Amino acid sequence: MSKKLVAYFSASGTTAAVAENLAKAAGADLYEIKPAVAYTRADLNWQDKNSRSSVEMRDKSSRPELADTNANIAEYNTIFVGFPVWWYVAPTIINSFLEAYDFSGKKVVLFATSGGSGFGKAVSGLQPSAPKAEIVEGEILNGRPNGAKLKAFADKY
């Protein structure tokens, strides 16, 4: 039996709620991907071209600093990585997370929350940050998916 981790970044709490329920349903450990400097409401204003999130997402080489690198990735075979979809891809802090650890031989399953878009180019945008991992496009998990749906999702991997 493989050991699973649910690692997530949540700017507003939406992805956090899904991640917590996914971890329970999957019998997985939980790890929050936190930026060294928390995002403010103004930072997340996608309508402001000068907001922090807008600036980061325009610069594909942007790597927001992580608050910590305490996840013991070596313990896990499958890592579910969750995030809100920003500009049709994963926020660049997910690249920071993937580049902070050795994911060699790991299966990284993406899940996301979104206001309306799908994963877009999330897999191709993240694969260079963990080149020796198998990155899989999982599911958009909007709303409040129940435990049975989350368990079925986790059990695929």
Side-chain angles (χ1 to χ4, degrees):
M1 183 148 176
S2 69
K3 192 166 181 191
K4 297 177 180 180
L5 174 69
V6 173
Y8 70 93
F9 164 69
S10 186
S12 66
T14 302
T15 306
V18 173
E20 289 165 8
N21 290 330
L22 176 59
K24 285 179 199 162
D29 293 334
L30 187 65
Y31 176 79
E32 182 178 2
I33 301 166
K34 293 183 271 193
V37 177
Y39 289 88
T40 66
R41 186 179 201 99
D43 290 338
L44 299 172
N45 182 358
W46 59 272
Q47 295 174 321
D48 177 358
K49 287 188 255 179
N50 296 314
S51 74
R52 178 177 165 197
S53 61
S54 295
V55 170
E56 288 174 359
M57 295 309 291
R58 268 196 314 275
D59 178 3
K60 297 301 175 202
S61 67
S62 171
R63 296 295 184 268
E65 185 180 347
L66 300 169
D68 66 66
T69 52
N70 297 335
N72 192 358
I73 297 302
E75 288 184 22
Y76 303 98
N77 306 92
T78 304
I79 299 100
F80 293 90
V81 176
F83 51 87
V85 174
W86 288 0
W87 290 263
Y88 305 99
V89 294
T92 55
I93 194 167
I94 301 301
N95 296 88
S96 298
F97 173 73
L98 293 174
E99 292 168 8
Y101 299 95
D102 180 4
F103 283 88
S104 298
K106 308 291 183 186
K107 181 174 282 197
V108 175
V109 180
L110 306 180
F111 70 96
T113 56
S114 172
S117 65
F119 279 103
K121 296 182 179 181
V123 172
S124 62
L126 294 174
Q127 190 68 67
S129 294
K132 294 181 180 178
E134 176 189 0
I135 298 182
V136 178
E137 184 176 303
E139 293 184 26
I140 300 290
L141 298 171
N142 285 332
R144 298 183 186 270
N146 66 37
K149 176 181 173 50
L150 293 171
K151 182 166 179 11
F153 167 61
D155 286 350
K156 289 186 214 175
Y157 307 99

